[in-house]
Amino acid sequence: MTAESLSWLAPAPLWGEGGVAVDGPGLLQPFLAEIRNDQFVTEFLGILGAQGGAVPTDLAAMAPAATGDGTGPCRLFQPISQCYYLVVTSLVCRRVGIPDHAVQPATGEETSFVVRKLAADGSEAAWIPATGPAAIPGNPPSGQWAAATTPCQLVAGEEQLPMHGAPVAAFAAAGTVGAAFGMSESGRRTVYYGYIPTSRRDRMVTALSDAAAVTTLQRVDPTGLSSPVLSSLWTRVISPWGLLQSQLPATPAPPPGPPPGGNNYYSSLYILLDLADWLQTNLPAVYQALTGGPTPSAGSAPAQLALAQALTDVNVGTWTTPGQHSPAFVALGDALRSLTTFAPLVTGAVIRGPTTSYDLVSTPPAGQLPANWSNWFQGTQTGPPSSPPAAWQNPQLPASTQPSLAFLAMAALTEAAVPVTVPQELTGMIKIDPPQSSPSYAPDTYIIRTVFEHDPCQPVLSQPSRPFQLARALDGDAPARKIRIALPDPSNLRQFQRGVAIEMPPGLRRMLDRVTPAMLQGKGLGADPGLEFGMICSFSIQIMWVLSFMVMFLFALSFNIVFWWMAFIRICFPVPVPASQPENPSP
C-alpha cells in the first residue's frame, strides 16, 4: 500500500449533509468540535450513534466560533470553563466511493494527531517534548518548538496525541449525497477523534531564554530604572530594613516598626547576610572595602567609593548577652566581616547561627549615622531627573537631595557595568504572554494535522485544520462554569462529625501561640510560650467549609468575633513527637 492511496478528510457526517461541500476546501480539513459538557466523550459518541434524538450531522453545529469578525482563528478555552475540544476526521482510500480504510492495530497501524504552531509566514513548528529532568511537570522548560521544514512529514521527536475510532449510525435518506457515500447504513462509516489538551497551553507558550529576557527588558526599559539587580537589593535588603525602621515611603504611612530590643534578630540577621551576598555577587569591590580590603579609587570608581563610604558610616545594634538592657552598636562593615563564615545560611544551609544577635530596629545615635540617613530607604530618585537620562545610565539626582541607598547602589552598578542577569529561580519562567491581545501582540496560532502510520510506508499526514488559538485559563471571554456549592447549616455545630485532622509540628504551634489580637494594632508577635509539643486537631469538613467561606468575606478586625466559637467545635490532643532541633537560626 502506498501513502498516495490514503487520505484524511473531514468526518463523514459532514460531507454534503453537514455543510461541507464535497468539492470544497473544507473536505480536506480535520474538523474541530467544541462540547460544553463534562461528559463530552459520551455526548460526542451519542451524536455519532444517533442516540437521544441526535443525528450525526449535528456535529456541524459544534464548530468553535471564530475570533474577531468571524474570519480569524477560533479560540479554544480551558476545561475550567467547561469547554472541551475534539479533532474529528475520516481516513479513506482514494478510489471510487472513497471507502473508509480499516485501521489494523495488530499489524502496527496507528492513528494520532500533532499540534503545530504557525509562524507569521505560514510555516509550521512541531512541539518536541523535553526529556529527562526537564520533563517533570512544573520544571520548565518542558519542551521546544522545532521547524517543520516539510509540513506533510513528522518531525523527529514530535509529540503525537492519540486518536480513537467510532462508528457512525445511519442517518442519510435514500438519494442524498450521504447515501451515495454509504451513510444510510449503520456502521458503514467510521470517524476518528482525539482530545485536544488545551490545558497544556502554559507549557506550549515557551519561555524566553535568559539572554532574550534581558534583551526584551532593555528594549522596554532603556534607562534601567527597573534593573533586576537593583530590584534584588530592594526586595532583599532595603524594603525589609525600612519596614523594621518604619521609614519606607508609603501611602498611607507604614505602621510603627517593632520595638527596639524585641525579637528582631532573625530578620536583622538575614538582611545583613543578604546585603553581603548581594554585594559579593554584584559589587565585590564595595564588599572588600567594607570587610577590610582595598577601597575603590575616587578617580576610577567614584560611585562605588560613595556607596562604600555610605555603608561604612552605618552602625547596627548588637546583643551579646541575654537580657542586655540596650544594644551595643558596631560598624556595618565589622558586622559583615564577622558574618563571613555564616554566608551559607543565605541558601538555607543547616549550620548554627552566630552567637551575636543583630537588631536593625534600634536606630544608631546621631553621630553614628550616614549624612543621608533621612533619605536612606527612598527609591532611586525623589523627583523627575533634570534632563532625560541616556540609555542605561543612572538618572540624575534632583538638586538638594541626599542620595538614598538605592540611588547609590544604582550609580555603582552603572559605573561597574554590572550585567543584568535573570535570577536562577526565574530561569525558564519568563514569557511574553499578556492576558489581553494588543496591536503589538498576537497570541500564538496553531493547527492540527492527523497522522496515520503503517510500516513500511511513510506516515500519512492530513491537511492542516482550521487555525486556532489557546485561551488562558482565566480568559475574560470564556463561558462561566456554573457551580453550586451548598454550605452546611451551622445551627447545631456539635452535630458535625470531626473527620479532618490537622497536625502541627512543635515549631508551628509555638509560632501560632504567639499570634494575639495585639497584632491587629500593629504590634508584633506575643511572648514565646516556650511549649515544644506538637498538636493534632480534628475538625469537621463542614466547619472547614464555613471557615473558608467566612475568610473570603470578613475583614481582619472581625476575626476575633467570628471565631470565638472555635473552642466548641474542635478536639485537640498533644502529639508526643520530638521537637525539631534546627542548627540554623529560626524565626
Side-chain angles (χ1 to χ4, degrees):
M1 180 179 293
T2 63
E4 288 73 23
S5 65
L6 297 176
S7 180
W8 288 102
L9 299 180
L14 302 187
W15 300 348
E17 302 287 334
V20 175
V22 294
D23 57 351
L27 182 67
L28 303 178
Q29 287 185 319
F31 180 75
L32 304 183
E34 178 185 79
I35 306 176
R36 299 187 179 185
N37 186 337
D38 290 335
Q39 305 297 324
F40 61 98
V41 174
T42 301
E43 180 175 332
F44 170 74
L45 295 179
I47 291 174
L48 292 183
Q51 299 174 5
V55 291
T57 52
D58 291 344
L59 189 64
M62 301 168 65
T67 58
D69 59 359
T71 60
C74 54
R75 299 187 69 198
L76 310 189
F77 298 106
Q78 301 283 327
I80 194 174
S81 300
Q82 204 170 12
C83 292
Y84 303 91
Y85 299 89
L86 301 175
V87 55
V88 191
T89 183
S90 290
L91 179 64
V92 301
C93 300
R94 291 182 177 177
R95 60 176 187 262
V96 176
I98 50 175
D100 287 343
H101 171 73
V103 177
Q104 303 292 334
T107 62
E109 297 184 348
E110 295 181 358
T111 56
S112 62
F113 71 96
V114 294
V115 179
R116 290 184 173 176
K117 184 167 68 172
L118 286 181
D121 60 0
S123 60
E124 300 177 13
W127 177 251
I128 312 297
T131 57
I136 300 174
N139 182 24
S142 54
Q144 61 181 346
W145 294 100
T149 54
T150 306
C152 59
Q153 294 181 7
L154 290 174
V155 177
E158 183 173 7
E159 183 178 45
Q160 295 177 244
L161 300 170
M163 298 191 75
H164 314 278
V168 179
F171 65 90
T176 62
V177 175
F181 288 104
M183 286 176 282
S184 59
E185 303 175 32
S186 183
R188 175 77 176 274
R189 287 289 182 178
T190 298
V191 299
Y192 292 89
Y193 68 96
Y195 173 66
I196 304 173
T198 56
S199 58
R200 296 188 184 184
R201 178 190 185 279
D202 284 344
R203 185 182 67 143
M204 299 174 72
V205 177
T206 51
L208 296 175
S209 66
D210 288 355
V214 172
T215 300
T216 302
L217 173 62
Q218 294 173 342
R219 184 172 62 250
V220 300
D221 181 27
T223 62
L225 292 177
S226 298
S227 167
V229 182
L230 183 65
S231 176
S232 174
L233 177 68
W234 182 271
T235 56
R236 298 173 62 186
V237 178
I238 299 176
S239 179
W241 191 353
L243 288 173
L244 291 180
Q245 288 279 331
S246 189
Q247 290 193 34
L248 278 181
T251 304
N263 188 15
N264 311 307
Y265 312 134
Y266 181 82
S267 54
S268 299
L269 169 65
Y270 279 93
I271 289 173
L272 294 175
L273 290 171
D274 280 338
L275 174 60
D277 180 69
W278 186 89
L279 289 172
Q280 283 185 292
T281 302
N282 301 289
L283 295 170
V286 175
Y287 178 80
Q288 292 296 327
L290 286 173
T291 54
T295 302
S297 170
S300 60
Q304 296 178 74
L305 177 62
L307 175 60
Q309 185 60 56
L311 293 172
T312 300
D313 292 342
V314 176
N315 285 264
V316 299
T318 62
W319 302 78
T320 56
T321 304
Q324 184 177 336
H325 181 67
S326 60
F329 289 92
V330 300
L332 175 63
D334 293 337
L336 297 185
R337 182 166 55 250
S338 66
L339 290 173
T340 301
T341 58
F342 301 100
L345 288 172
V346 172
T347 59
V350 182
I351 61 174
R352 290 190 177 274
T355 57
T356 299
S357 299
Y358 297 90
D359 185 5
L360 295 179
V361 174
S362 301
T363 303
Q368 300 179 359
L369 291 170
N372 60 333
W373 183 254
S374 61
N375 199 42
W376 188 251
F377 300 105
Q378 304 298 310
T380 55
Q381 60 184 62
T382 57
S386 56
S387 61
W392 288 96
Q393 289 186 1
N394 194 42
Q396 296 183 10
L397 184 68
S400 303
T401 302
Q402 291 288 344
S404 65
L405 173 57
F407 194 102
L408 292 169
M410 189 169 188
L413 292 171
T414 304
E415 178 183 80
V418 176
V420 176
T421 57
V422 174
Q424 182 180 2
E425 296 84 354
L426 297 181
T427 296
M429 298 181 66
I430 301 175
K431 303 178 181 182
I432 300 180
D433 185 27
Q436 297 294 334
S437 301
S438 64
S440 60
Y441 171 80
D444 290 334
T445 301
Y446 307 89
I447 56 94
I448 285 176
R449 290 181 182 268
T450 52
V451 181
F452 173 62
E453 296 175 275
H454 56 305
D455 292 335
C457 304
Q458 288 288 334
V460 177
L461 273 66
S462 71
Q463 294 297 308
S465 68
R466 287 178 57 191
F468 62 90
Q469 297 169 352
L470 297 176
R472 297 165 67 98
L474 301 179
D475 192 281
D477 295 329
R481 173 186 284 271
K482 294 183 178 181
I483 301 176
R484 178 178 176 268
I485 300 176
L487 295 178
D489 181 357
S491 299
N492 187 355
L493 302 181
R494 293 185 179 274
Q495 180 181 1
F496 300 149
Q497 300 298 308
R498 294 173 286 271
V500 179
I502 300 178
E503 181 177 351
M504 292 183 290
L508 178 59
R509 184 191 174 199
R510 185 174 180 177
M511 180 178 293
L512 290 178
D513 284 343
R514 298 176 60 192
V515 176
T516 68
M519 295 182 64
L520 298 176
Q521 304 172 4
K523 299 180 181 179
L525 294 171
D528 190 342
L531 295 177
E532 286 293 348
F533 284 107
M535 186 71 73
I536 182 167
C537 301
S538 180
F539 300 84
S540 71
I541 188 66
Q542 298 93 332
I543 291 300
M544 302 301 291
W545 272 103
V546 171
L547 296 184
S548 300
F549 185 75
M550 288 181 174
V551 167
M552 290 191 296
F553 290 100
L554 299 178
F555 293 104
L557 291 178
S558 65
F559 280 3
N560 64 327
I561 300 174
V562 173
F563 298 125
W564 65 269
W565 40 260
M566 285 279 289
F568 299 102
I569 50 111
R570 69 172 184 171
I571 294 179
C572 298
F573 186 85
V575 179
V577 295
S580 58
Q581 300 292 333
E583 295 287 338
N584 50 313
S586 299

